[in-house]
Amino acid sequence: MRVYKQIDEIRRAVGNFKSQGKSIAFVPTMGALHDGHLALVRQAKARADIAIVSIFVNPTQFENPDDLAAYPRDVDADLVLLQAEGVDAVFTPTPDAMYPAGAETIVETTALANMLHGEVRPGHFRGVATVVTKFLNIVTPDIAVFGEKDYQQLQVIRTLARDLFLPVQIAGIPTVREADGLAMSSRNARLSPEDREAAVVLNRALDLADRMVAEGTTVETLGTALRDIIETERRASNVAIDIAAAETLAPLVGPIATPVALMISAQFGDVLLIDQRVTTP
Ligand code: PAF
C-alpha cells in the first residue's frame, strides 16, 4: 500500500493503474476509521481491481472552527487498518493542496444542500460537494463508494455527479449494523449501557416503517407511528423524523406511492444518533 500526499503523485499512480487496464474504486473519508468505513473499503475492493482511499478532514464542511479542531485524527492507526484491508493506495493531501491560495470555485446542489440537515448546517453540503468534486477529478475513479447512513450526503453526491456529467458510478452501501440492529457509528462508544440498549428503538422504528409502507399507509400516519414508537423509549429526546421523496428529498404528503427516504434522529444522553432507510411501497 502506497501513501501519497501530493496531487501529481496520486495522479501518476492512477495513470499507471489505468495503463495496466485496471478499474479503480475510490472511498473518500475524513479518517478516524471504524467498521462502517471498512465496510465501504471492502465494497470498493469487491467492485474494482484497485481500491484507493483518501483521508482528509475537509475544513469547508465545518461551519464551526471548534468542531473542525476537535475532529478526531489518527492517520497512523487508519493506515494500519487500511493496510490490513489490502487497500492499494491512500491519498492524504494537506488543506493547502486541496484549497490553494486563490481557489474560489464552489460546487453546490442548490435545492438538496439547503433542506433538512442543510437547514441546520448552512454551507455543510456545499463543502462536501466541493471537496468530493475535487477528489473525483483528481482520482478519476470508475466507481466511488459512500455510506447510505448519510443519506442526504449520498443524494447530494449522486446529484452533482449527474449534473456535472462526471464519468463515475456513485455506489451507496447499506448501513452496517450491530447484531441488535443499531447502526454503527463512532458515537455509539459514547452511549451509557442503558442508552446503548435504548437506542435500538431507532432500528425497531424503521422496521415498523418498512412493514407499514409495504402494507400501504400515508406520510402522516407513518410519521405519527414512528414518533410514538421512538417516544415510548423514555431515554430518547429531541426526536426528529423526516419522510421525503427518496431521490429529491422533497417533502411528501398523503398516501405513500413512490420510494421514500425515512430519516430519523434522537438524542440518548448527550449523544445525537441518526438512522435512515429507503423503503418502497
Ligand atoms: O462522509 C464523509 O466522511 C465526508 O463528508 C466526505 C464524503 C469524505 C467528504 O469530506
Side-chain angles (χ1 to χ4, degrees):
M1 184 178 85
R2 298 282 305 270
V3 181
Y4 302 94
K5 260 194 158 21
Q6 307 297 335
I7 293 174
D8 57 346
E9 289 173 353
I10 186 80
R11 278 208 156 123
R12 258 198 307 278
V14 168
N16 283 338
F17 291 133
K18 289 195 172 177
S19 67
Q20 295 164 35
K22 307 238 192 236
S23 58
I24 294 184
F26 174 54
V27 185
T29 80
M30 298 210 296
L33 302 181
H34 54 68
D35 284 346
H37 295 107
L38 299 184
L40 303 184
V41 169
R42 284 174 204 140
Q43 283 295 323
K45 282 197 62 74
R47 290 170 184 228
D49 302 320
I50 298 292
I52 300 180
V53 176
S54 63
I55 300 175
F56 178 64
V57 181
N58 173 35
T60 63
Q61 69 189 75
F62 290 83
E63 320 82 73
N64 175 345
D66 294 341
D67 287 349
L68 172 62
Y71 199 83
R73 291 164 173 88
D74 191 349
V75 175
D76 291 342
D78 292 341
L79 293 178
V80 171
L81 292 172
L82 295 176
Q83 172 100 49
E85 292 296 331
V87 165
D88 299 279
V90 183
F91 180 40
T92 59
T94 60
D96 286 348
M98 294 301 284
Y99 298 99
E104 59 169 303
T105 304
I106 55 172
V107 178
E108 183 171 37
T109 54
T110 47
L112 259 176
N114 295 306
M115 57 173 64
L116 303 171
H117 199 56
E119 263 186 299
V120 285
R121 295 190 69 184
H124 168 72
F125 288 115
R126 185 194 309 136
V128 170
T130 301
V131 82
V132 169
T133 305
K134 286 173 186 259
F135 277 126
L136 294 177
N137 280 325
I138 294 167
V139 178
T140 62
D142 299 284
I143 178 166
V145 180
F146 298 85
E148 278 182 357
K149 178 149 180 283
D150 293 317
Y151 188 73
Q152 191 170 356
Q153 167 172 288
L154 175 61
Q155 289 310 97
V156 163
I157 292 164
R158 284 187 166 136
T159 302
L160 77 84
R162 180 199 68 192
D163 293 352
L164 299 177
F165 306 104
L166 298 184
V168 61
Q169 182 194 341
I170 304 295
I173 305 302
T175 304
V176 183
R177 296 181 180 277
E178 306 284 358
D180 62 3
L182 179 67
M184 276 192 189
S185 161
S186 40
R187 295 173 178 214
N188 295 351
R190 291 171 38 214
L191 294 166
S192 68
E194 296 77 18
D195 286 334
R196 166 66 187 79
E197 204 172 307
V200 182
V201 73
L202 297 181
N203 187 50
R204 270 210 311 279
L206 292 174
D207 284 345
L208 170 74
D210 263 348
R211 290 196 296 275
M212 288 181 66
V213 171
E215 285 162 14
T217 186
T218 65
V219 170
E220 296 73 18
T221 309
L222 180 60
T224 306
L226 287 176
R227 183 166 292 281
D228 284 350
I229 185 169
I230 298 172
E231 287 183 348
T232 52
E233 177 46 72
R234 58 176 187 81
R235 304 189 79 86
S237 61
N238 290 330
V239 177
I241 295 163
D242 287 301
I243 302 172
E247 194 181 336
T248 60
L249 300 189
L252 295 173
V253 288
I256 297 179
T258 51
V260 282
L262 311 164
M263 291 166 286
I264 59 180
S265 64
Q267 193 164 329
F268 297 85
D270 62 357
V271 182
L272 184 71
L273 296 181
I274 61 167
D275 205 345
Q276 68 77 35
R277 192 162 303 172
V278 174
T279 188
T280 304

